[in-house]
Amino acid sequence: MKWQNIEFFVSKGQAILPVNVPETGDIAMLVDQKGQEHFVQVQAQTFLKQVLAYFGTDLPTLRRRYGQVIGKKKMIPLPLSSRWVLAPFNTRQPIGRQSRTGWILAEAVRGIREHSPALSELELNHYSVKVYHSKLFCQQQLRSARLVQLEFDQLHQGRLVVQENRWTYTE
């Protein structure tokens, strides 16, 4: 595992996208905040698992924990810190058994443009990604990312407890 790719993505990245590169195959493309593309010689799903390991967690644990919050079993946004939530979107038509899911930093999404009922475009910082979802689904996915983020904050920053003070009656 090359930690410099993971640390680069954690500090400057905004998307992990699966791509097919001629003579190389199925690899991950990282998009940084300036809109530049960087290719990593592992599959996108493998790179995602490495990012999750960097944060000390794994995919089944996050899916189980936060899937209950939004009532879903698949396509669950993954919170990794209080401001860092990766939202899944179908970003390509797979060949064979390839993964179609790309992971986009929820706070990097600046807008959504619908091209057809099954194709939309997410506008990121200096970059745009076509996703195979409706605009409504994209909005729901970003709403779910926010709910998951709030649950993460509640879990890791302590629950706010409101309690009345007891009155003492003295004469």
Side-chain angles (χ1 to χ4, degrees), residues 146-164:
R146 182 70 177 135
L147 288 172
V148 164
Q149 180 182 12
L150 290 172
E151 179 66 18
F152 181 91
D153 288 345
Q154 287 293 322
L155 181 66
H156 292 284
Q157 295 178 3
R159 300 205 183 270
L160 180 63
V161 178
V162 178
Q163 181 177 349
E164 290 183 318

Side-chain angles (χ1 to χ4, degrees), residues 16-19 26 43-45 48 63 74-76 87-94 98-104 133 141:
I16 303 169
L17 305 173
V19 293
D26 184 18
Q43 292 180 347
Q45 193 72 10
L48 173 68
R63 279 187 175 157
K74 295 184 179 181
M75 301 295 279
I76 299 166
F89 292 94
N90 291 337
T91 59
R92 70 173 178 180
Q93 296 292 339
Q98 292 178 335
S99 173
R100 69 179 69 211
T101 307
W103 297 85
I104 297 171
H133 299 289
Q141 198 68 342

Side-chain angles (χ1 to χ4, degrees), residues 10 12 19 24 31 43 45-46 50 52 59 64 68 71 74 81 84-85 107 115 124 128 132 135 140 143 149 161:
V10 169
K12 298 179 182 176
V19 293
T24 304
V31 179
Q43 292 180 347
Q45 193 72 10
T46 303
Q50 292 172 350
L52 295 177
L59 195 55
R64 187 171 39 256
Q68 294 173 355
K74 295 184 179 181
S81 72
W84 228 71
V85 180
E107 88 173 8
H115 293 288
L124 309 177
S128 63
Y132 293 92
K135 183 177 181 178
Q140 289 173 341
R143 189 177 312 117
Q149 180 182 12
V161 178

